[in-house]
Amino acid sequence: LIKELEELGIGRPSTYATIIDTIKSRDYDEIAKYVDLEYLAISEAVGYIAGNPDSMRYNTNNYMIYLRRTDGKMIFIPIDNDRVFGITRDWDPTGSAMMYLKPLDRKNVNNQNTISLLLDTVLSTKDTESKGIYLEFLDLLKNSSWVKEETFNTYFNMAKDSYSDYNFSLTDNSNTSFSKYINNKLKQITSNDGE
């Protein structure tokens, strides 16, 4: 983060250095002073369901960092979600493994630990408030209309109608079908319920 800020000409304000040092400290209560952990937990639950292999959790990229003016807390905004819900056409870095990861897996699909911020909060081996929120939202999402094929098809068709110059196909065998993808994701969540 400091490097990115310096490249933008923002310099190294003490606030940013303090936030980075706090995250590096791996102290949950201290991190909670600077990072909106509820926002992080909810966005990670949505991210888990969507399964973007190119995200903060799985490839440590494709997110923006925003410091809220109201309280100075950091939030992470996911961007570039072009590889979600089983899309593997043209690029499949994980061998479609995203649908088999468990909600509390601490390693990514390349068997490497994910970033410490997530390991110390939503994926903690301890019972943290943010981990509880993360699991609660996974439970809400697995029972919502957002994981139903009818909902997916409705939005798929809206995109297809809006971007008619792109070749949209639900029968493209280079992608994992939404049904197969989401059913496997829901199995992983259900198998995690006892943890």
Side-chain angles (χ1 to χ4, degrees), residues 2-179:
I2 296 294
K3 181 182 170 194
E4 291 171 7
L5 293 171
E6 288 171 346
E7 287 173 1
L8 292 171
I10 296 174
R12 187 178 174 147
S14 60
T15 304
Y16 299 126
T18 301
I19 292 170
I20 298 302
D21 289 343
T22 300
I23 291 172
K24 286 181 181 178
S25 78
R26 304 191 75 173
D27 181 294
Y28 182 85
D29 292 329
E30 289 300 310
I31 292 170
K33 293 177 184 176
Y34 294 99
V35 177
D36 184 333
L37 294 180
E38 180 179 6
Y39 185 96
L40 180 68
I42 294 168
S43 64
E44 282 302 309
V46 172
Y48 175 80
I49 293 283
N52 183 4
D54 215 13
S55 65
M56 177 170 38
R57 181 174 181 179
Y58 299 115
N59 201 25
T60 62
N61 67 340
N62 284 358
Y63 60 91
M64 302 292 284
I65 299 169
Y66 178 76
L67 290 176
R68 277 196 309 242
R69 291 180 187 198
T70 55
D71 61 5
K73 286 197 175 188
M74 183 183 289
I75 62 170
F76 299 87
I77 303 168
I79 60 169
D80 198 15
N81 288 295
D82 62 335
R83 296 289 161 188
V84 295
F85 299 119
I87 295 175
T88 52
R89 180 179 161 190
D90 303 327
W91 185 62
D92 185 9
T94 63
S96 305
M98 294 304 294
M99 62 186 160
Y100 300 106
L101 290 171
K102 295 194 180 308
L104 293 176
D105 280 347
R106 295 169 56 83
K107 296 191 181 282
N108 64 22
V109 292
N110 298 315
N111 206 30
Q112 299 168 333
N113 281 335
T114 191
I115 64 173
S116 64
L117 175 62
L118 297 177
L119 293 175
D120 299 331
T121 57
V122 298
L123 302 176
S124 178
T125 56
K126 301 173 186 171
D127 288 332
T128 64
E129 183 179 3
S130 61
K131 180 180 173 181
I133 294 168
Y134 169 71
L135 293 173
E136 178 184 341
F137 268 80
L138 281 177
D139 193 51
L140 290 171
L141 287 168
K142 82 175 185 187
N143 296 309
S144 74
S145 65
W146 289 104
V147 297
K148 306 288 186 228
E149 194 160 4
E150 305 81 46
T151 304
F152 175 81
N153 288 338
T154 298
Y155 284 96
F156 176 88
N157 288 323
M158 283 173 38
K160 183 177 178 179
D161 293 343
S162 298
Y163 302 99
S164 59
D165 57 333
Y166 188 78
N167 182 17
F168 282 81
S169 171
L170 285 177
T171 58
D172 182 348
N173 291 330
S174 62
N175 291 318
T176 302
S177 71
F178 176 80
S179 178

